[in-house]
Amino acid sequence: MFKVKNFEDNDDVIIKEQNGAFKVVEYKRDLSVDYEQAQSSYFASEMNVRRRQLVCDVSQSNITVQAGAMQWMVGNVNSTTGIKGAGDFFKKALRGSVTGESAIKPEYTGDGLLVLEPTYKHIILLDADDWNNEIIIEDGLFLACDSELEHKAIMQSSISSAVAGGEGLFNLGLHGTGIVALESYVPREELIEITLDNDVLKIDGSMAIAWSGTLSFTVERAGKSLIGSATSGEGLVNVYRGTGKVLMAPVLE
């Protein structure tokens, strides 16, 4: 049995978002500053530059997190590698080497709370059920997820798509049922969600942070010809085609 006081119930803390076993805690102000930092800290808070933490209720679900993300945990919470034999280890090591994610992501089980390191980035919670049970995410955005979600290395349709499109040759794909937490440089309030029904989305730059696994990703000329692309002022664009959703930032990082 444990009790946690002056954390979620602190009057300087709000629950920004909650879904499944996850809560996003946001600090309205940073009170742990000295006289010289107070002014800059005040204006940072006014511009929504605030510390945030992901709180995970391990009693609701086993949780997989990015390596090194844990700050503290309380209760009967155990950390494992999540590796199920030698074959699983080599598969995860290979996936990590091509996606740029940590090869081994710790899995937390038991009955208690797991709190991740604070970040000034925005924490976005996505439900895989809303994405036809397969989400592909931009490199470096993964923070945590329900362990029921299967991690896959999703290869782009061609090497040219990866190089010209500003994406890696492989992206991390999450398949199954559960919640995934992303670290985004753009808040949810500004993210643009586009739903395609057998249609096409073209983006000038790698501004998509997540998209459905049912969509095909290619890189194509903005115009129908080289001359058309040149005269339009655009060159190559990232193209998402099919039926599914795309979550897009309004600006490049």
Side-chain angles (χ1 to χ4, degrees):
M1 178 71 71
F2 63 86
K3 291 183 179 180
V4 179
K5 291 185 177 181
N6 201 33
F7 182 42
E8 294 180 26
D9 58 339
N10 188 305
D11 61 5
D12 196 47
V13 167
I14 59 174
I15 305 300
K16 184 69 174 179
E17 189 175 3
Q18 182 173 355
N19 201 336
F22 300 99
K23 290 181 184 177
V24 179
V25 166
E26 181 177 278
Y27 297 83
K28 293 184 287 186
R29 297 168 297 170
D30 190 351
L31 301 179
S32 304
V33 295
D34 58 24
Y35 177 83
E36 294 179 350
Q37 297 173 314
Q39 184 175 2
S40 59
S41 177
Y42 170 79
F43 285 108
S45 177
E46 290 297 301
M47 290 302 297
N48 200 30
V49 180
R50 301 171 179 175
R51 287 186 298 132
R52 301 171 181 90
Q53 287 185 282
L54 186 66
V55 180
C56 312
D57 185 351
V58 184
S59 64
Q60 292 191 39
S61 173
N62 293 349
I63 307 294
T64 299
V65 306
Q66 187 64 275
M70 187 275 289
Q71 186 187 49
W72 59 275
M73 52 189 178
V74 59
N76 182 29
V77 180
N78 304 297
S79 175
T80 71
T81 61
I83 295 175
K84 303 173 180 64
D88 188 43
F89 169 78
F90 285 114
K91 182 177 71 173
K92 290 180 176 178
L94 178 61
R95 185 187 66 229
S97 68
V98 298
T99 62
E101 302 285 343
S102 57
I104 306 302
K105 296 180 175 66
E107 181 178 328
Y108 293 86
T109 64
D111 185 7
L113 287 182
L114 165 68
V115 181
L116 303 192
E117 290 280 359
T119 176
Y120 281 98
K121 293 182 180 179
H122 303 274
I123 301 175
I124 311 296
L125 302 181
L126 301 179
D127 189 338
D129 287 348
D130 297 332
W131 294 75
N132 202 28
N133 301 109
E134 185 166 10
I135 311 174
I136 302 174
I137 63 176
E138 174 69 6
D139 294 343
L141 299 188
F142 176 83
L143 180 60
C145 71
D146 288 303
S147 296
E148 291 297 314
L149 285 167
E150 180 184 357
H151 296 228
K152 296 181 178 180
I154 306 297
M155 185 176 182
Q156 301 296 357
S157 58
S158 66
I159 294 177
S160 62
S161 294
V163 175
E167 308 287 351
L169 181 56
F170 292 85
N171 287 99
L172 177 63
L174 300 168
H175 179 79
T177 297
I179 308 299
V180 56
L182 306 181
E183 275 190 297
S184 169
Y185 55 90
V186 174
R188 178 180 282 278
E189 294 86 345
E190 293 186 354
L191 290 174
I192 302 166
E193 183 177 302
I194 299 172
T195 302
L196 300 175
D197 184 2
N198 194 28
D199 215 321
V200 59
L201 169 66
K202 298 181 180 181
I203 304 175
D204 182 16
S206 54
M207 292 157 54
I209 71 168
W211 57 95
S212 300
T214 51
L215 295 174
S216 67
F217 169 71
T218 59
V219 176
E220 301 173 9
R221 293 193 298 268
K224 293 183 178 180
S225 66
L226 288 173
I227 296 176
S229 295
T231 56
S232 70
E234 308 291 344
L236 298 172
V237 292
N238 292 355
V239 179
Y240 302 84
R241 183 177 281 108
T243 298
K245 295 198 299 185
V246 177
L247 198 59
M248 183 177 71
V251 294
L252 288 170
E253 182 180 13

